[in-house]
Amino acid sequence: MHKAPEQPIFGPEDPKLAPKSPPRIKTSRSIAKTISWRVVGTIDTLILSYLLITYLGPMFGMENTEGEALQAASYIAITEVATKMVFYYLHERLWVWLTWGTSVVNGRRKETVARSTTKTATWRTIASLDTMLLAWFFTGNIATAVSIGGLEVCTKLILYFFHERIWSNLPFGIVHDADVRVN
């Protein structure tokens, strides 16, 4: 009976068999993801805020004209561009540091669905709290703010998950060891 050779204790004897080091994620990738998500997120917030202020606001004692509703929704959306870009960038850099759920397959960096799902949940918590606080500030009505933040959870969980899945397949800003050239 033929036995398989025993694996060395301190690592492979042939350097070609050594596990590949994880790729480096460039800051430019995090910035591009921040901007692309902010475009999607701001449009979603603007639409949701306007609809909820216009149609649910009266149920919570807010009587606004369509112009006032659009103005409040615009303030919420514009302000969150600044706050959420900072929060998103910091969230993204934290997840770059955490390598859980990443691997290198056929020389390309891959992320698991579990990682994308967890990133989605942590980001949504931070972002929805930010939206609720901004909506409360600009509308003065906590019930409307909670409605905006609550509905946003549903729409943005879906949008963000697909945003993450698309980015997990884009090589932009990922540097593999093989991509680094020795001069």
Side-chain angles (χ1 to χ4, degrees), residues 28-43 85 88 92 159-160 162-164 166-167 170 172:
S28 59
R29 179 180 175 88
S30 296
I31 292 170
K33 282 182 75 174
T34 300
I35 292 168
S36 68
W37 173 246
R38 196 64 264 136
V39 169
V40 172
T42 299
I43 291 168
M85 284 185 80
Y88 185 91
E92 189 61 29
L159 292 171
Y160 185 81
F162 286 108
H163 182 263
E164 278 300 304
I166 290 166
W167 272 95
L170 295 177
F172 173 75

Side-chain angles (χ1 to χ4, degrees), residues 43-114:
I43 291 168
D44 182 67
T45 297
L46 179 65
I47 293 168
L48 286 177
S49 296
Y50 173 74
L51 292 174
L52 290 173
I53 292 168
T54 302
Y55 298 108
L56 284 181
M59 294 171 63
F60 301 125
M62 287 182 57
E63 295 295 331
N64 292 313
T65 65
E66 286 186 22
E68 291 170 331
L70 183 58
Q71 182 180 20
S74 297
Y75 286 155
I76 294 165
I78 290 166
T79 305
E80 81 165 16
V81 168
T83 59
K84 289 209 175 97
M85 284 185 80
V86 171
F87 291 147
Y88 185 91
Y89 177 78
L90 294 172
H91 181 261
E92 189 61 29
R93 294 312 294 172
L94 173 68
W95 278 93
V96 165
W97 178 72
L98 297 171
T99 58
W100 168 77
T102 63
S103 61
V104 177
V105 178
N106 295 329
R108 290 193 58 198
R109 181 180 185 272
K110 292 290 183 182
E111 291 187 2
T112 63
V113 172

Side-chain angles (χ1 to χ4, degrees), residues 176-183:
H176 297 276
D177 284 340
D179 296 339
V180 178
R181 289 169 178 60
V182 179
N183 291 334

